Amino acid sequence: MMKWIPVALALTLSACGSGPKTAYYQLPTVTPSTAVSSSTLARPLWVERVTVPDYLAGSGVVYQSNDVQYVIATNNQWASPLDQQLQQTLVSNLSATLPQVLISSTPLGQQHDTLKVDVSGFHGRYDGHAVVSGEWVLEHNGELFKQPFVIALPQKDDGYDALVRTLAAGWQQVADQVANAMIANGK
């Protein structure tokens, strides 16, 4: 019986010594404030790509700890690549806002508009804000419409859960900007 005490003690200590568990995050789809309906918005939209810089392309959620330093979390990670999540969520958010428009992440035949989004910031910040920044380009009937965006929303709570929810709300604002531009330009 005494032979097993060291083994049991070693197993107990190794179980206690394991590091923090890794949490995985998926962007939620935020319900738009209003859906827009218009018979003039019938042309399909291809969300061609959403690009992110290298520091956001990894699996860790990013937090800016001061004016020059960024920390990439090791235990708080994206469940799937961030660029894919951003594209899928953008398609979903735009589809909810513009229900009469066919919006897809794949090409839709010969006649479609194209949206490209370059994200430069998608992270938490030391002052308690979530930052969503970059620019989007909408191609409609051979014309290009380009719009930068910089959104800094205050987090309501502390922690990564609240950060991801706030980032999703900022991403919904980008979808709203795109939808409004499509309507204004007579998509």
Side-chain angles (χ1 to χ4, degrees):
M1 181 71 173
M2 293 298 257
K3 291 187 226 177
W4 293 103
I5 292 175
V7 172
L9 183 60
L11 287 175
T12 303
L13 289 175
S14 68
C16 294
S18 62
K21 291 184 179 183
T22 300
Y24 295 94
Y25 294 92
Q26 188 74 28
L27 286 174
T29 302
V30 179
T31 306
S33 55
T34 58
V36 178
S37 64
S38 171
S39 60
T40 61
L41 296 176
R43 191 174 166 120
L45 175 66
W46 172 29
V47 179
E48 182 178 346
R49 63 180 168 84
V50 175
T51 61
V52 297
D54 288 346
Y55 83 100
L56 293 173
S59 59
V61 177
V62 175
Y63 179 78
Q64 182 180 359
S65 59
N66 62 38
D67 61 334
V68 295
Q69 187 175 41
Y70 292 80
V71 177
I72 300 172
T74 55
N75 293 319
N76 294 284
Q77 300 188 358
W78 294 113
S80 60
L82 181 59
D83 59 341
Q84 291 176 15
Q85 286 194 51
L86 290 170
Q87 183 184 35
Q88 292 165 354
T89 306
L90 184 57
V91 167
S92 181
N93 289 346
L94 284 170
S95 295
T97 303
L98 301 168
Q100 73 286 3
V101 178
L102 176 59
I103 299 171
S104 176
S105 59
T106 57
L108 300 165
Q110 298 287 342
Q111 299 293 319
H112 64 268
D113 291 340
T114 304
L115 177 66
K116 299 174 187 175
V117 184
D118 293 319
V119 174
S120 57
F122 199 81
H123 58 274
R125 194 169 63 192
Y126 57 92
D127 63 359
H129 287 76
V131 176
V132 179
S133 62
E135 68 181 19
W136 54 262
V137 177
L138 175 66
E139 181 181 349
H140 170 64
N141 287 335
E143 291 187 62
L144 294 176
F145 303 94
K146 182 177 175 180
Q147 180 68 45
F149 57 90
V150 178
I151 299 166
L153 298 174
Q155 278 186 236
K156 295 179 182 172
D157 297 311
D158 290 336
Y160 283 95
D161 291 2
L163 172 59
V164 170
R165 287 185 188 102
T166 307
L167 288 168
W171 194 235
Q172 175 63 53
Q173 287 186 19
V174 173
D176 291 344
Q177 287 178 4
V178 172
N180 289 333
M182 289 170 63
I183 293 165
N185 293 309
K187 185 193 163 318

